[in-house]
Amino acid sequence: MTTAPAPPHAAAAPPTSAPSPVLDWRIRFGVLSLIWGFSFLLIKVGTEGYAPFQVTLGRLVFGTLVVAAVLVVKRERLPRSPRIWLHLTVSALLLNALPFSLFAYAELSIPSTLAGICNATSPLWGMALSLVALSEDRPSRRRVAGLGIGFFGVLTVLGAWQGFSGLDLGGTAMALLASLSYPIGWIYVRRTLAGSGHSNLSLSGAQLLVATVELAVVTPLFTTLPSHFPVVPLLAIVALGALGTGLAFQLQYALVAEVGPTTAQIVTYFIPVIATGAGVAVLGESLTWSTPVGAVIVLAGAALTQSRPRAGVGRGGRGDGDRDGRRASAPSAVTPRQP
């Protein structure tokens, strides 16, 4: 899970006494885990009444409305630079429009439990991409081992020893591509938007707005207006957008500010567990032994790829761990990753 660092100007601001949150951070952490874990169930329910592009468009509309309301309340403005908007067009595609649509299409043919587990492979893809794309972020042997363990877990989930029998390869491939799209987007953001001088909230609102426009252009080309509007799938889409895209960002941004990115990103490892439980308990999806076993292996590998060496104190009191921490959180200058 990518996390949102403090705004670029935060270090220069004078210290202030922030009001204590109404709810303990552990409660908000649990709520965030539940929201993102149930997102895959909501996608599945939404696609039972609407086309995948329509599900994604509705999700983005309601998510954008929530973030826009927060922007108004906090009196923050959207970026004005054409260069930033150009980069946001690409990041909106890679971090929102494309993966959201791929997951929606994938769940037409695969269970929500499998989609949730595929989502957990994003740290593995990110680690693999960093080997060639981020020369300053050289991985340790432990993290490389985590990469190998994680992909062994993926093969376990997919039942590779059985020749992937009974598995919809198209749907699974789309879910894995959606998970791959996130780290590609993070790397792009890291190279183009880090240090832009705008707050995370401002950039996120702009990015969601652009993603909504992208889907508003594409959706009419591939779908027709529904002749009726099933209520339950529609409510699932509203919840997916307002909670899973709008509210979840606010929760994670506050968590990062309060407990730091390292603790906040642990939510990544709860998402597939909750997604699996929700799919089995609510949707009645079947579960073979290889799914939970493979998921545990995937999460163990992902955790190793995110591990950092213990901070060593150098000049000025900053150790390597501090520099690694900044590198780890840099890609989220726009928005946290969302399932």
Side-chain angles (χ1 to χ4, degrees):
M1 176 70 60
T2 303
T3 51
H9 58 271
T16 58
S17 55
S20 300
V22 177
L23 294 176
D24 183 83
W25 73 267
R26 297 170 186 83
I27 297 176
R28 287 176 282 128
F29 181 95
V31 171
L32 180 61
S33 301
L34 287 171
I35 289 175
W36 271 334
F38 271 84
S39 291
F40 297 96
L41 180 149
L42 294 175
I43 293 172
K44 173 69 79 173
V45 175
T47 55
E48 291 176 354
Y50 301 92
F53 275 137
Q54 293 168 345
V55 172
T56 303
L57 176 59
R59 173 183 189 173
L60 287 168
V61 167
F62 290 107
T64 302
L65 289 175
V66 170
V67 176
V70 177
L71 280 167
V72 172
V73 170
K74 294 190 175 183
R75 298 182 178 180
E76 292 200 31
R77 295 182 178 181
L78 297 176
R80 295 183 178 181
S81 168
R83 181 187 65 84
I84 290 180
W85 282 97
L86 179 62
H87 290 313
L88 285 171
T89 300
V90 179
S91 65
L93 174 66
L94 294 173
L95 292 171
N96 300 117
L98 179 61
F100 290 2
S101 299
L102 284 172
F103 272 125
Y105 270 101
E107 291 199 40
L108 291 177
S109 56
I110 67 172
S112 65
T113 54
L114 179 55
I117 293 171
C118 287
N119 178 74
T121 64
S122 277
L124 304 178
W125 294 121
M127 173 67 189
L129 289 171
S130 72
L131 294 174
V132 295
L134 299 174
S135 59
E136 78 277 13
D137 194 12
R138 292 301 181 188
S140 63
R141 282 181 292 182
R142 176 189 298 181
R143 298 176 69 195
V144 172
L147 181 64
I149 292 171
F151 282 113
F152 175 75
V154 173
L155 294 176
T156 302
V157 170
L158 302 182
W161 66 92
Q162 297 175 334
F164 306 106
S165 61
L167 183 72
D168 186 273
L169 295 179
T172 304
M174 283 189 284
L176 291 173
L177 282 174
S179 301
L180 172 61
S181 181
Y182 289 124
I184 294 175
W186 300 336
I187 292 173
Y188 181 83
V189 167
R190 177 169 173 169
R191 292 180 178 272
T192 60
L193 288 170
S196 66
H198 294 277
S199 72
N200 291 353
L201 179 61
S202 174
L203 290 172
S204 295
Q207 179 178 295
L208 286 175
L209 178 61
V210 172
T212 302
V213 173
E214 290 173 344
L215 259 295
V217 171
V218 170
T219 300
L221 300 177
F222 295 93
T223 65
T224 57
L225 190 67
S227 57
H228 64 289
F229 296 86
V231 175
V232 173
L234 181 59
L235 291 176
I237 295 171
V238 173
L240 184 64
L243 300 179
T245 301
L247 176 62
F249 168 71
Q250 307 302 321
L251 286 173
Q252 195 190 31
Y253 181 77
L255 282 172
V256 171
E258 184 174 348
V259 301
T262 301
T263 300
Q265 74 178 0
I266 297 175
V267 71
T268 302
Y269 309 115
F270 287 86
I271 292 174
V273 177
I274 296 172
T276 299
V280 173
V282 180
L283 299 179
E285 295 177 345
S286 60
L287 191 67
T288 61
W289 69 267
S290 61
T291 300
V293 170
V296 170
I297 298 174
V298 167
L299 294 177
L304 282 176
T305 65
Q306 299 302 298
S307 64
R308 302 281 175 177
R310 208 177 274 273
V313 178
R315 292 184 179 180
R318 289 188 186 273
D320 291 339
D322 293 322
R323 292 192 294 272
D324 283 342
R326 289 198 303 274
R327 287 203 302 266
S329 60
S332 61
V334 174
T335 185
R337 182 179 70 73
Q338 300 155 350

